[in-house]
Amino acid sequence: MVVCGDDGLAHRLATELRGVYREQVVLVVPPSRRTPPQPMAGRARAASAALFGRMVTAVNRGTGDADDTLVPDERVMEAAEPTEAVLADAGVDRAAALALVYDDDETNIRAALTARRLNPRLRLVLRLYNRRLGQHIEELLDQAAELAADATAGHRDGHGGHGGHGGHGADIATTVLSDADTTAPALVATALVGTSKVVDAEGLLLRAVERRPPRPGEVADPGLCTLALLSATSNDPAGAEGSEDSGDGPRLLPDAEAVAAATGRGAVVLEQVSYSGPPLPARRAGVMPFASLFSARLRWSLAGLVAAVVALAVALIVVTDDHPLRAIYITLLDLFAINDPAVDAPLGRQVLQLLSGLVGLLLLPVLLAAVLEALGTFRTASALRKPPRGLSGHVVLLGLGKIGTRVLTRLRELHIPVVCVEADPEARGMAVARRLRVPVVVGDVTQEGVLESAKIHRADALLALTSVDTTNLEAVLYARSVRPDLRAVLRLYDDDFAKAVYRTLRTAHPAALTRSRSVSHLAAPAFAGAMMGRQILGAIPVERRVLLFAAVVVDGHPQLEGRTVAEAFRPGAWRVLALDTAARGDTAGAEPPGSGLVWDLPDTYVLRADDRVVLAATRRGLAELLGRRTRSPR
């Protein structure tokens, strides 16, 4: 695996590939600068090298995952730009995958075009901010890879050669990712349930939850399924985690008998992340409710005038014995002062005409006010909303930049009430908030009274996602003074600084839930999964081991095709979790609605060749299932 980048994401991605997937990594970074304005690159590089060293030492001592073999040490190269010579020196022509995570889109595109020419079979992962451009680049590079593969196959067939590229097979693909899209699910899950151990499966957020051993007579909720049994000593404060080679260690993907026989051991279960607070009011798209056009006082005034007109019409019927329709017509004429004066009429009729004229005078200002209010409502329909009175149980989102905008969209997809705070009226997320009808408080969060306007004292969570670390930290500290038990999540650039802030806030507020997250820390797993292949959805750590989640087409896998779900389950290796009915165009009965994933598959269901399933697997199990070879020690 080759990783090229110029910020913390490159170092974190290399660490993820090495620590989770046990891959051999070549890291290409800019030359170290000794000048004071750029201390971050040196610290990140030193931390990455130190972490690499600790991992290699741990593996050589036998404390790594039991289903992995030793891999060579990582190679770190320094180059100002990823030129053709640099990519060739990094071994792109022999690599299985290349990640280009520079902060500049043009640099990533230029290097991707060069790498595709050097190695048409290379799996590419690009970091681009422009989504539309990313789609076109992805299609272009995939098309170039297909044409080059066809030409190579024809050349080999004509000369009697044999194929094979080694490594991870022929999974040729180009994946374009952005920080905003990859970090949004973890940030949303952290705001809801306080954890970032989540997997995004076809738009659904899944989390791994550690549960204590059930008490005598207590029945534990298995969730969607049981992923692992924790070490026998994991709940003992004085004990240590069990050895990987002993029976006391964690057991990944246990069968039903092992779960039933496990006593006194905690378990890791899979759950769906959902919101259980008050639902948002249903509103049809593009239709404005009638109640929002007029204020409550104006509606009561109109109702009173209508009642007065009806009373005058009834009185006219009693006095003149006219037909009801004629009485209503005469009353309306008197109301608008367009009827002849009732000079020769009886006294009762004259009194009713005077009262109708008086009601007509009262009607004119009410009608004018109604017209002005309706015009004002339509004029401000596209303006920003203010937080409504009595709002509670919502999420306060600070910052509507690149990350905050995507998080806002995900929160609204889960029907979670949100109040945004943004200092820049021209921020990129303002248009999204206006379109989604989300309340926005425009102001500097460091100023007094801004968080109060966002109803922070009645909120459930605070997401501080501005691009300034000190602003996020100050907002969380101020929110802590208002609500000591508030769930707070703040975005910090430096991973070491994020860890220090988290530990300090946890010590100062032990009863509150605080999470500090680095964007590079959250984005690295998604980039690493894309480098391993598009079928990888994510990874969840279980003590010293790792569970991988993948979406696999059954066709071509004899361990799955033609077998029932129970027969395809191999304890300790892989387990089928869900069936993607949307891949076949059959969404009838899919649960939950809108996803196409069916989780309650019966054990007797026979997997067909055209089925696409979501499964959990160990590293060795997934390598065996996908036909990959594990590396031998150097």
Side-chain angles (χ1 to χ4, degrees):
M1 302 288 178
V2 181
V3 178
C4 302
D6 56 357
D7 59 5
L9 178 58
H11 298 273
R12 190 69 201 182
L13 175 56
T15 303
E16 187 81 10
L17 291 171
R18 175 61 183 82
V20 176
Y21 298 99
R22 296 293 191 264
E23 291 291 333
Q24 182 179 3
V25 181
V26 176
L27 179 62
V28 180
V29 293
S32 58
R33 297 178 176 89
R34 302 299 180 182
T35 54
Q38 306 240 351
M40 189 65 66
R43 290 206 308 268
R45 187 177 295 105
S48 178
L51 186 55
F52 283 160
R54 290 198 301 269
M55 286 185 173
V56 172
T57 302
V59 172
N60 291 334
R61 290 179 178 176
T63 59
D65 202 340
D67 57 7
D68 292 296
T69 56
L70 298 180
V71 297
D73 296 350
E74 284 71 14
R75 175 185 171 196
V76 180
M77 296 177 51
E78 291 189 351
E81 292 184 358
T83 60
E84 182 174 352
V86 171
L87 293 177
D89 191 19
V92 168
D93 56 333
R94 305 180 306 276
L98 167 65
L100 298 167
V101 293
Y102 289 94
D103 196 41
D104 180 43
D105 288 0
E106 183 179 352
T107 302
N108 294 329
I109 295 174
R110 184 170 62 249
L113 296 175
T114 303
R116 181 60 80 204
R117 186 176 70 254
L118 293 175
N119 185 357
R121 302 175 60 85
L122 183 68
R123 189 183 306 122
L124 287 174
V125 178
L126 277 72
R127 171 189 184 184
L128 295 182
Y129 296 135
N130 191 333
R131 283 187 181 180
R132 183 172 301 178
L133 176 61
Q135 293 177 356
H136 296 312
I137 293 295
E138 188 173 303
E139 295 173 359
L140 175 64
L141 293 174
D142 282 346
Q143 184 178 1
E146 292 175 1
L147 294 177
D150 293 341
T152 303
H155 178 74
R156 286 174 177 169
D157 292 340
H159 292 77
H162 59 278
H165 187 66
H168 295 274
D171 183 15
I172 307 171
T174 304
T175 306
V176 177
L177 300 175
S178 69
D179 297 351
D181 293 333
T182 55
T183 58
L187 290 172
V188 170
T190 306
L192 293 181
V193 294
T195 180
S196 60
K197 292 183 179 181
V198 295
V199 174
D200 190 357
E202 307 296 334
L204 293 177
L205 292 182
L206 306 174
R207 66 163 177 166
V209 183
E210 293 187 8
R211 291 185 175 173
R212 296 294 181 183
R215 298 176 181 177
E218 182 182 1
V219 178
D221 183 10
L224 296 177
C225 69
T226 300
L227 296 177
L229 296 174
L230 298 177
S231 301
T233 58
S234 61
N235 297 318
D236 184 7
E241 293 181 354
S243 172
E244 299 291 345
D245 300 327
S246 65
D248 294 336
R251 298 188 59 180
L252 301 185
L253 302 176
D255 53 14
E257 291 77 9
V259 174
T263 57
R265 299 179 67 168
V268 177
V269 300
L270 190 66
E271 290 183 350
Q272 177 186 347
V273 176
S274 60
Y275 175 68
S276 59
L280 293 174
R283 183 177 63 89
R284 292 178 296 176
V287 179
M288 183 174 296
F290 178 78
S292 64
L293 291 176
F294 310 108
S295 62
R297 184 178 301 177
L298 185 60
R299 294 197 299 269
W300 280 109
S301 301
L302 289 173
L305 290 176
V306 171
V309 172
V310 173
L312 290 174
V314 172
L316 185 60
I317 294 173
V318 173
V319 171
T320 61
D321 292 332
D322 288 341
H323 190 271
L325 293 179
R326 175 179 172 78
I328 295 175
Y329 176 70
I330 295 299
T331 302
L332 292 177
L333 291 179
D334 294 336
L335 187 70
F336 296 112
I338 56 178
N339 196 11
D340 294 332
V343 178
D344 299 330
L347 179 61
R349 172 71 183 88
Q350 294 177 350
V351 173
L352 291 177
Q353 189 177 48
L354 291 175
L355 292 177
S356 299
L358 180 61
V359 173
L361 293 176
L362 298 177
L363 179 62
L364 290 177
V366 175
L367 292 178
L368 180 61
V371 171
L372 293 178
E373 279 201 9
L375 290 177
T377 302
F378 279 111
R379 182 175 56 85
T380 59
S382 60
L384 297 174
R385 295 182 59 198
K386 294 183 178 180
R389 295 181 179 179
L391 179 64
S392 61
H394 58 286
V395 176
V396 177
L397 176 61
L398 309 183
L400 288 176
K402 181 182 60 177
I403 304 295
T405 303
R406 186 56 185 154
V407 172
L408 172 62
T409 305
R410 293 301 301 266
L411 289 173
R412 294 296 287 187
E413 289 174 355
L414 295 174
H415 305 287
I416 300 172
V418 187
V419 174
C420 300
V421 179
E422 176 56 52
D424 183 12
E426 302 298 329
R428 69 172 63 191
M430 285 295 190
V432 177
R434 191 178 293 112
R435 175 173 55 86
L436 297 177
R437 303 284 295 165
V438 175
V440 178
V441 176
V442 180
D444 188 358
V445 71
T446 59
Q447 300 296 325
E448 199 166 329
V450 174
L451 283 178
E452 283 80 358
S453 302
K455 316 293 183 184
I456 190 64
H457 55 286
R458 291 201 296 264
D460 275 356
L462 169 67
L463 279 170
L465 305 180
T466 67
S467 57
V468 183
D469 290 359
T470 55
T471 301
N472 296 333
L473 182 57
E474 183 178 354
V476 170
L477 293 177
Y478 181 76
R480 277 279 176 264
S481 64
V482 178
R483 278 278 307 277
D485 59 341
L486 181 69
R487 183 185 297 118
V489 181
L490 65 156
R491 166 193 173 188
L492 300 175
Y493 180 79
D494 190 358
D495 198 23
D496 294 335
F497 182 48
K499 292 179 182 178
V501 169
Y502 164 69
R503 292 169 181 170
T504 305
L505 289 176
R506 183 182 58 181
T507 303
H509 302 276
L513 182 59
T514 306
R515 293 291 184 268
S516 55
R517 294 289 181 255
S518 169
V519 173
S520 62
H521 179 85
L522 295 176
F527 281 84
M531 293 187 71
M532 297 300 299
R534 285 183 173 178
Q535 71 274 13
I536 302 296
L537 301 178
I540 290 180
V542 179
E543 294 184 0
R544 297 176 181 176
R545 306 184 69 180
V546 174
L547 271 178
L548 303 179
F549 292 82
V552 178
V553 178
V554 174
D555 187 18
H557 300 289
Q559 304 93 332
L560 303 177
E561 186 176 355
R563 299 174 180 266
T564 64
V565 174
E567 293 172 349
F569 174 38
R570 182 178 295 181
W574 62 75
R575 175 175 182 172
V576 176
L577 300 178
L579 174 67
D580 185 7
T581 56
R584 301 182 319 202
D586 178 20
T587 57
E591 293 182 3
S595 68
L597 291 179
V598 179
W599 295 93
D600 53 347
L601 280 177
D603 292 339
T604 56
Y605 177 81
V606 179
L607 299 175
R608 298 182 293 179
D610 59 343
D611 285 341
R612 183 172 180 264
V613 295
V614 176
L615 52 85
T618 61
R619 280 191 289 258
R620 173 174 292 178
L622 188 61
E624 178 183 350
L625 185 63
L626 300 181
R628 295 172 177 171
R629 297 179 179 178
T630 57
R631 292 189 180 89
S632 59
R634 181 170 55 184

